[in-house]
Amino acid sequence: MRIYGVQFHPEVDLTPSGKQMLKNFLCDICGVTPNFTMGSRKEECLKYIKDKVGKNKVLLLVSGGVDSTVCAALLRHALHPSQIIAVHVDNGFMRKDESEKVEKSLRDIGIDLIVRKEVYTFLKGTTQIKRPGQFSIVETPMLCQTINPEEKRKIIGDIFVKITKDIVEDMKLKPEEVLLAQGTLRPDLIESASNLVSPNAETIKTHHNDTELIRELRNAGRVVEPLSDFHKDEVRELGHDLGIPPELVERQPFPGPGLAIRILCAEEPFIEKDYSETQVIARVIVDYKNKLEKNHALINRVTSATSETEQHELIRISLNSQIQATVLPIRSVGVQGDKRTYSYVVGLSSSHEPNWDDMMFLAKLIPRILHNVNRVCYIFGEPVQYQITDITHTTLNNYIIKQLRQADAIANEILRQAGLQRKISQMPVILIPVHFDRDPTNRTPSCSRSIVLRPFITSDFMTGVPAIPGSSDLPLHVMLIISFNVLRNMVQEISKLDGISRVLYDLTSKPPGTTEWE
């Protein structure tokens, strides 16, 4: 019948020979001619902008990231400068000195920028949402009191829209004559479950450029999104073609909500009915040989989900390493089976320098055995002795934001000095509300937090892998290695910050973990 199907994603970079499969299907079976070029896509973008905007004005929120910068360059090529209103909003969640750098770099390429400082507008901002399972629309708490990551994202996205309306009003323009431009990419729409990409998609995480207010504007024809069919690698290629300097085109992505969604907010630990059993099975996995010999009650949960080869690997690892596994009472966002997960994190620790290949093996295996785990991290320092059953109360406030901003600045400066900023696709630095090393008999309260490093390698941002710690004298094949020295330096410097308990390293591929944690 000439009907073909695959039960995996050939279009993502992690699928071996995936591109060849698509090429075979399109060219050999469908008879399509491969004459689609980036040049033709640029012309299509420019025509789309001219047709969409006409003689109206267009307001673009410019973060300084790759997507909004390329969008700004397209607008400059397609429209008269008097039609473009470029605005950078400092929402208070930017990196250290980020707004000043953005303003300078964009002015250097001829983009006249309006800068708005709106720190307290965001912290005290709210929006209206409909919560799952509820019929009525409710007002959220203020952002500085909001715990739920989806609600945080929606508040931030809607406040951006409200600020654009204020700017239009301040400039005494007619709202119906001003369109909103965004550097929205296809992965943003996929993860936000936009109807533009699929009527049946699951929301993985709501992007700030696809909230309900944005969707209302889009449905009214008031949003200009020339990059909505592009992926990150294509946007970079288009940026080079538009003549944007490499230092702007190759910048590491930084999400619009910024540090706000890299702070895991919590007011109580996440401990469900399955917490204790999950902790026991995680320990069985890392101590597989001993538990097998003792015929542990839950050993079948591991053997039934692993191959014989994998079981031999687990025996070898448990013989050669003294690894501790700790389930952290927090949740992070992930994706399993094309659906959103909001699940546990497992931390691995050891008394000596770990075998990173073994760590990567465990990081892949644990979420496959434990479907309620979507991330595995290595915890630097001594083995974790005490089970963690509480968290440090955390919401967005200036002290906590400053704490993460300092850690982020240290990590990125060390990455820059090592010449790795263009080799690592993205490196989220995350603050989690976990205070390690508290002897429960002393009843020491949980008052510190920890930092997670997430050096991530990808080209399409749909899938990807963590950078693997390795010797700096090894060849950087496929650019997958971050040197031991660079990593140790980051850990040592971040550990000196006040209120930081431990530093962790995210070992999780995407899937099951997303690039960001919230």
Side-chain angles (χ1 to χ4, degrees):
M1 294 175 66
R2 295 176 63 77
I3 295 173
Y4 299 81
V6 291
Q7 201 172 354
F8 53 88
H9 287 275
E11 77 279 8
V12 300
D13 282 350
L14 283 188
T15 300
S17 305
K19 298 289 191 293
Q20 186 65 42
M21 293 175 202
L22 288 175
K23 184 180 178 184
N24 293 345
F25 175 71
L26 291 169
C27 300
D28 299 343
I29 295 172
C30 300
V32 172
T33 304
N35 58 359
F36 196 64
T37 65
M38 188 58 75
S40 66
R41 296 188 80 180
K42 181 176 84 169
E43 295 310 314
E44 284 184 6
C45 287
L46 297 176
K47 182 180 184 303
Y48 160 81
I49 292 168
K50 289 173 184 175
D51 292 346
K52 184 85 175 179
V53 177
K55 294 183 179 179
N56 292 314
K57 290 185 182 291
V58 60
L59 189 152
L60 172 68
L61 290 175
V62 188
S63 67
V66 182
D67 311 333
S68 60
T69 300
V70 170
C71 185
L74 285 169
L75 294 176
R76 280 180 55 223
H77 279 71
L79 304 173
H80 190 275
S82 63
Q83 291 179 271
I84 304 168
I85 307 164
V87 181
H88 173 72
V89 177
D90 182 353
N91 54 16
F93 310 127
M94 304 297 286
R95 286 177 169 144
K96 187 177 180 181
D97 303 327
E98 183 90 354
S99 287
E100 292 80 358
K101 291 173 185 173
V102 167
E103 185 176 1
K104 181 182 184 307
S105 63
L106 292 176
R107 289 196 193 282
D108 286 347
I109 63 169
I111 296 174
D112 191 20
L113 204 61
I114 298 169
V115 178
R116 298 270 297 231
K117 294 193 178 294
E118 301 281 357
V119 178
Y120 289 101
T121 307
F122 279 88
L123 280 176
K124 299 194 177 299
T126 65
T127 194
Q128 293 188 322
I129 60 166
K130 188 161 78 171
R131 292 196 173 106
Q134 294 183 351
F135 296 103
S136 58
I137 293 174
V138 298
E139 186 88 5
T140 65
M142 290 190 294
L143 182 61
C144 61
Q145 299 169 338
T146 299
I147 300 297
N148 185 291
E150 275 290 280
E151 292 183 13
K152 282 162 61 177
R153 285 174 170 272
K154 289 172 181 175
I155 294 168
I156 292 167
D158 287 351
I159 292 171
F160 273 124
V161 175
K162 291 170 186 174
I163 289 171
T164 65
K165 292 179 179 177
D166 291 343
I167 292 167
V168 169
E169 193 175 304
D170 292 347
M171 297 180 75
K172 296 181 170 52
L173 300 170
K174 295 179 180 178
E176 65 272 15
E177 294 178 359
V178 182
L179 282 75
L180 176 66
Q182 298 193 133
T184 311
L185 304 190
R186 189 168 181 80
D188 301 346
L189 298 173
I190 292 170
E191 291 191 330
S192 298
S194 169
N195 282 331
L196 292 178
V197 293
S198 170
N200 302 311
E202 289 271 336
T203 302
I204 306 303
K205 57 193 181 199
T206 300
H207 284 253
H208 71 286
N209 49 20
D210 195 32
T211 64
E212 283 303 315
L213 279 185
I214 294 290
R215 290 180 180 183
E216 287 174 19
L217 289 170
R218 193 183 283 133
N219 291 339
R222 309 302 302 163
V223 181
V224 182
E225 295 172 304
L227 302 174
S228 61
D229 278 334
F230 283 70
H231 288 256
K232 186 73 71 176
D233 52 336
E234 298 170 318
V235 173
R236 288 203 166 106
E237 189 179 336
L238 179 59
H240 285 300
D241 194 37
L242 290 164
I244 300 172
E247 60 270 19
L248 287 180
V249 176
E250 299 298 333
R251 285 189 72 190
Q252 285 194 5
F254 187 60
L259 300 178
I261 53 147
R262 291 181 174 175
I263 296 170
L264 265 65
C265 295
E267 53 192 352
E268 57 187 22
F270 174 61
I271 298 178
E272 301 281 88
K273 290 184 297 184
D274 59 357
Y275 181 77
S276 295
E277 183 178 87
T278 303
Q279 175 64 75
V280 172
I281 296 171
R283 287 175 177 162
V284 169
I285 294 169
V286 298
D287 192 24
Y288 183 74
K289 185 177 185 300
N290 287 330
K291 300 299 188 284
L292 188 65
E293 289 173 351
K294 294 175 181 177
N295 195 24
H296 191 281
L298 292 175
I299 195 71
N300 284 341
R301 288 287 299 274
V302 180
T303 54
S304 62
T306 52
S307 68
E308 195 174 316
T309 303
E310 289 166 337
Q311 291 163 27
H312 284 310
E313 278 295 288
L314 287 175
I315 290 170
R316 181 190 61 77
I317 290 170
S318 57
L319 273 172
N320 298 332
S321 307
Q322 295 292 312
I323 299 172
Q324 300 291 331
T326 307
V327 180
L328 306 181
I330 57 174
R331 290 190 282 189
S332 79
V333 169
V335 55
Q336 297 183 28
D338 286 340
K339 293 180 183 290
R340 166 191 168 91
T341 58
Y342 192 35
S343 302
Y344 293 117
V345 176
V346 168
L348 304 176
S349 58
S350 60
S351 56
H352 50 78
E353 183 76 44
N355 180 315
W356 290 102
D357 289 337
D358 291 348
M359 292 294 132
M360 296 303 300
F361 173 78
L362 291 170
K364 288 179 182 177
L365 199 65
I366 289 171
R368 208 180 77 209
I369 297 169
L370 292 165
H371 294 167
N372 57 350
V373 170
N374 60 21
R375 270 180 216 274
V376 177
C377 298
Y378 181 74
I379 306 167
F380 289 96
E382 293 298 311
V384 175
Q385 295 183 53
Y386 308 116
Q387 184 60 43
I388 298 155
T389 55
D390 57 356
I391 52 93
T392 302
H393 186 280
T394 301
T395 53
L396 294 176
N397 63 49
N398 286 330
Y399 169 76
I400 291 170
I401 296 165
K402 182 180 177 183
Q403 197 175 35
L404 178 57
R405 186 176 285 126
Q406 288 176 300
D408 178 86
I410 289 168
N412 278 283
E413 178 57 22
I414 291 170
L415 206 66
R416 186 192 67 78
Q417 289 176 0
L420 289 172
Q421 273 193 310
R422 293 189 185 180
K423 293 172 182 175
I424 303 291
S425 308
Q426 188 171 3
M427 191 176 72
V429 178
I430 301 104
L431 186 142
I432 60 173
V434 179
H435 186 171
F436 292 91
D437 308 314
R438 291 174 297 119
D439 186 339
T441 59
N442 295 334
R443 303 195 178 209
T444 308
S446 182
C447 53
S448 293
R449 299 172 179 86
S450 295
I451 293 291
V452 183
L453 304 172
R454 169 76 161 146
F456 192 64
I457 309 289
T458 181
S459 63
D460 60 5
F461 284 86
M462 294 300 294
T463 58
V465 295
I468 303 167
S471 171
S472 56
D473 56 7
L474 287 172
L476 292 175
H477 61 286
V478 206
M479 301 177 191
L480 290 181
I481 294 171
I482 182 169
S483 81
F484 294 136
N485 292 339
V486 168
L487 199 50
R488 284 193 200 100
N489 197 6
M490 283 185 193
V491 173
Q492 287 169 3
E493 293 303 313
I494 291 172
S495 298
K496 294 176 185 176
L497 294 175
D498 288 342
I500 298 302
S501 171
R502 294 266 197 136
V503 178
L504 294 79
Y505 193 88
D506 190 343
L507 301 164
T508 321
S509 295
K510 179 183 180 180
T514 49
T515 311
E516 301 284 351
W517 274 51
E518 273 207 344

